[in-house]
Amino acid sequence: MRSTASIVTCALLLASCGSTRHAGPSPTTTATSATTSTAPPTTTTTTSTTPPATTTTTSTAPPTTTTTTTTTTSTTPLPPDQAMLDSLVVTMALVATLKAPLALVAVPGTDVLLAAERPGLIRTLTPDADGTFLVGDPVLDLTHLVDVRGEGGLLGMAISPSADELYLSYTDHDLTSHVIAVPLDGLEADPEGRRTLLSLEQPYPNHNGGHLVVDPEGRLLIGFGDGGLWDDPHDNAQDLGTWLGTILRIDPLGDAPSGNPFVGDPDALDEILLWGLRNPWRFALDPTTGDLWIGDVGQNAVEEVTRIPAADIDLGLNLGWPAFEGDIRTGRPEPDEHRPPDLTYERTGESCSVIGGVVYRGEAIPDLVGTYVFGDYCDGRIRLATIQPDGSVAMRLTDLTVPVLVSFAEDGARNVYALSHAGGVHRLDAG
């Protein structure tokens, strides 16, 4: 039997945990030429060296003659292949304990992290000599604004490139999602100076999404689920007239950038970047390639991860829900500009909800560079995946587990952290 805390968190991510299968095959990953396997979850903290058996917005030289030309070409190293993933040894260390952490960001120019707790507190994490973090007092308290009913709470956090504003996403007591900007001076937040960038009334208390990401140009990406309930009854994810079921992109003033795909379209909202999503629970930009990786929670059959190449982000792609759950047709017509997922895996009695992650670009684990690190809420197991030059997917289901896994994050050195709704902040380390 699940504990009360587990049931509450299950509602936070799924609003459908009870519909997951209680028996069935081990998780199966579907991807072109993908090699996957399964193994029962363990409590080990070191991966095996043998592959596991697997709508309201608020608001610038004169030419010279040379005889020699030197050209420097920069290339992105190839990602690890299946054999490399299978032989990789990665460990995990508990480095801090918080109250239901859902987001973690690095403060530019410092080694300090800011952690967002679901009830509405933002705390500092300062590195200690032993490799763990000292948990500081709150620098911002939004508990009087935040409502944690259903899938609500303080759901997302990001920071501006200049570290002068903190962006926060939360749900309030009226079942409305808000994205706000709070002035930041060093590590001092000014709640009285907060600005509302946008607000969205939620029809149901689930599928709120709420994740935030800032791109290199300082624009804010915002994820919202389809509004909740079952089968997207209002077809929100296929309606360009609502923000539900989309990823939005706005500038720091709350306006839609001119490069957004639907700007000027009278039948669409300018802020929409991507649509056809059920509940995008964590997405991330690869800092090297600019690709956007999205984990979208399934309903009762399939979990999915989609990589949008940097060159395609502005195309207004449709990820297919509710006509598709992952790569499975649901009986509704296939939408135009449909972008199928790159990776799917079955929901079983153990796995039930994808937790989107990040592409590893740190230096501490060289053999992991270029690998997408993600997981699943129910089994808590860390997964590793790469897309090969031929389009095939290599994936490994590791033995590393995080109880009640809810999010991933990075620090300034691109070390990767897995966050547990039970409180733990876990860092991935070299074995």
Side-chain angles (χ1 to χ4, degrees), residues 190-212:
D190 176 16
E192 300 303 318
R194 70 177 185 268
R195 299 181 294 117
T196 298
L197 299 178
L198 59 81
S199 298
L200 174 65
E201 293 184 6
Q202 295 283 351
Y204 305 105
N206 61 330
H207 299 184
N208 300 145
H211 190 48
L212 302 177

Side-chain angles (χ1 to χ4, degrees), residues 333-384:
E334 181 172 5
D336 295 335
E337 306 298 336
H338 176 218
R339 174 62 165 82
D342 292 275
L343 185 155
T344 64
Y345 65 92
E346 290 185 4
R347 304 183 106 200
T348 68
E350 294 181 349
S351 59
C352 70
S353 176
V354 67
I355 305 298
V358 298
V359 177
Y360 183 81
R361 294 295 179 185
E363 298 180 354
I365 316 175
D367 291 341
L368 191 63
V369 172
T371 300
Y372 182 62
V373 182
F374 68 112
D376 187 274
Y377 162 77
C378 282
D379 65 25
R381 297 177 70 176
I382 304 299
R383 290 152 167 82
L384 309 176

